[in-house]
Amino acid sequence: MRRHHWSLTSLAAIAPQARALFFLVALFLSGGATQAAECSSYIPPPVSELKTVSFYGDARSSIVSKARMSQYSSDIARLNDFSFHVSKSANDFMEGDECAGLNALALLREWSKSNALNKLDGFQANVAAMFMGIPAVVAYAKVSTLCHESDCVVIQQWLLRLARRSSIYFSSPNRPRNNLYYWSSTFSILAGKYAHDPRLFEYGKDGVIRGFSSLGRSGFSLENERGQRAQTYNRFAFTALSWGAAAVSKEFMVDLYRQNPEVKAFLDGHRSQSEISIDVLHPSKSRQVEASSTWRLPWDILLLSEQSCATMSSKERYRILGLDTPKLLTVLWELEPCT
């Protein structure tokens, strides 16, 4: 474990809109001044290579094997550790904790400089890497205002490498265009937007358009083949596409809603049902929740025509999208934060 330390002067009297710039100047000039608070960041050791197994025990990928799940959880433990800490730190920064913002940047900087996840062995390793990469780029979007230019470049290049590799892998001719293709499209949009690659952004946008065009009255045909997990994976696919669309723009979502009546039918059909919420990184930890916050949030805000802080107050935690989806939507659409 590594711990990194910085010094910063108090920002209590600085207007919120000036804090990011002042913070960087103060950090540069203070150099450990005596009147300073100390920031400390836990850095999980970067993972350079990953090989793991699918946690499913049947051909339809519908039944979780406890033995495989145990092995998978062990294999990706450090990825989970990184995702949790970088997401939590970025969220805390959005609540006014500048130390947490530096902590998130330290995590991103160390893993990017080491070119983490440079080698992936097999299908499940590519899945795990993508579901770590998405919260990484979400965290970067939240804290990038604190980033020194040299660090920004290294972090952006790493995020783009991860996103490009996912887009190539999950769009290959021998891969089905299922929820993983949709998630790779969302990853491409987020990385293209915040790490500045317009071509990757447009590639992901095209994937989202294709995904919504495959949504039928009964959901997504490939997800309907998933046996007892068909409903869960239909919502999982819809979640990926919804947040990919939200990352493009509110106007893009409006166009999708108007052009594809199946979107409205899907939303209406699942409005009052409960669902099994599954963290893909921990499928064994399922729990019953109301079908709302994670996959419905951008649609609910969009269709309300104005921001509702009651809707944005959800405490639903979704690891893939950075633990706090209201904060993500606040960044994507530049909304006024709810207090």
Side-chain angles (χ1 to χ4, degrees):
M1 157 190 336
R2 301 183 189 177
R3 290 190 179 272
H4 294 247
H5 301 273
W6 299 274
S7 295
L8 66 157
T9 56
S10 173
L11 300 178
I14 305 301
Q17 60 269 29
R19 286 185 181 181
L21 178 60
F22 179 87
F23 186 71
L24 288 175
V25 174
L27 180 67
F28 177 77
L29 295 176
S30 62
T34 55
Q35 296 179 352
E38 185 180 71
C39 295
S40 178
S41 176
Y42 163 65
I43 309 289
V47 176
S48 58
E49 301 181 22
L50 180 64
K51 180 179 181 180
T52 188
V53 297
S54 170
F55 45 75
Y56 289 113
D58 65 321
R60 298 173 72 182
S61 297
S62 63
I63 301 174
V64 173
S65 163
K66 290 184 178 181
R68 285 174 168 268
M69 188 64 233
S70 177
Q71 180 63 53
Y72 178 69
S73 297
S74 175
D75 292 339
I76 67 167
R78 272 194 284 167
L79 273 66
N80 282 347
D81 201 18
F82 170 84
S83 295
F84 174 79
H85 281 92
V86 77
S87 296
K88 184 178 185 305
S89 294
N91 291 333
D92 289 347
F93 170 69
M94 288 189 68
E95 295 180 358
D97 185 344
E98 277 80 9
C99 275
L102 288 180
N103 292 346
L105 281 176
L107 284 156
L108 292 166
R109 182 176 60 246
E110 290 302 311
W111 278 56
S112 60
K113 284 185 175 180
S114 70
N115 197 18
L117 297 178
N118 184 43
K119 296 181 180 179
L120 304 178
D121 188 345
F123 165 77
Q124 201 64 41
N126 276 274
V127 174
M130 178 170 67
F131 288 147
M132 184 222 70
I134 293 173
V137 73
V138 167
Y140 180 70
K142 294 171 180 175
V143 302
S144 60
T145 55
L146 293 179
C147 192
H148 290 288
E149 183 176 356
S150 58
D151 286 338
C152 288
V153 170
V154 173
I155 293 169
Q156 290 171 11
Q157 289 176 344
W158 178 60
L159 294 172
L160 288 173
R161 283 195 297 272
L162 294 178
R164 289 167 183 158
R165 182 175 57 194
S166 290
S167 69
I168 292 170
Y169 186 87
F170 291 107
S171 66
S172 62
N174 62 332
R175 289 288 316 155
R177 295 294 194 269
N178 63 2
N179 68 83
L180 295 174
Y181 171 67
Y182 305 152
W183 280 110
S184 73
S185 297
T186 294
F187 192 9
S188 294
I189 291 168
L190 289 165
K193 184 172 186 172
Y194 293 106
H196 311 301
D197 184 338
R199 292 183 62 184
L200 185 63
F201 178 90
E202 291 298 326
Y203 178 87
K205 180 179 175 181
D206 181 66
V208 168
I209 293 171
R210 292 180 61 177
F212 275 115
S213 69
S214 69
L215 175 62
R217 182 65 58 173
S218 61
F220 300 93
S221 58
L222 289 174
E223 310 309 331
N224 288 333
E225 298 174 0
R226 300 295 294 271
Q228 66 186 31
R229 291 195 184 274
Q231 178 174 269
T232 293
Y233 276 97
N234 265 287
R235 287 176 177 153
F236 191 54
F238 195 81
T239 301
L241 294 173
S242 296
W243 284 94
V248 174
S249 70
K250 292 174 70 173
E251 294 73 19
F252 180 68
M253 287 194 81
V254 169
D255 289 341
L256 285 172
Y257 186 80
R258 290 173 175 170
Q259 295 168 8
N260 190 341
E262 303 303 344
V263 172
K264 184 178 186 301
F266 191 94
L267 289 167
D268 290 343
H270 295 78
R271 183 170 298 278
S272 61
Q273 299 178 19
S274 62
E275 65 182 351
I276 296 293
S277 174
I278 291 185
D279 182 339
V280 172
L281 298 179
H282 298 287
S284 60
K285 297 181 180 179
S286 304
R287 57 194 179 89
Q288 200 79 15
V289 298
E290 289 304 309
S292 56
S293 55
T294 298
W295 60 276
R296 289 194 59 91
L297 180 63
W299 296 105
D300 287 342
I301 297 299
L302 184 76
L303 300 175
L304 283 170
S305 77
E306 63 181 26
Q307 181 181 352
S308 167
C309 284
T311 303
M312 293 283 282
S313 66
S314 165
K315 297 301 182 183
E316 177 71 13
R317 297 294 180 249
Y318 203 71
R319 184 183 292 264
I320 298 172
L321 293 169
L323 293 178
D324 192 318
T325 49
K327 284 187 173 62
L328 172 56
L329 196 62
T330 298
V331 171
L332 293 177
W333 291 353
E334 299 180 349
L335 302 173
E336 289 294 325
C338 292
T339 56

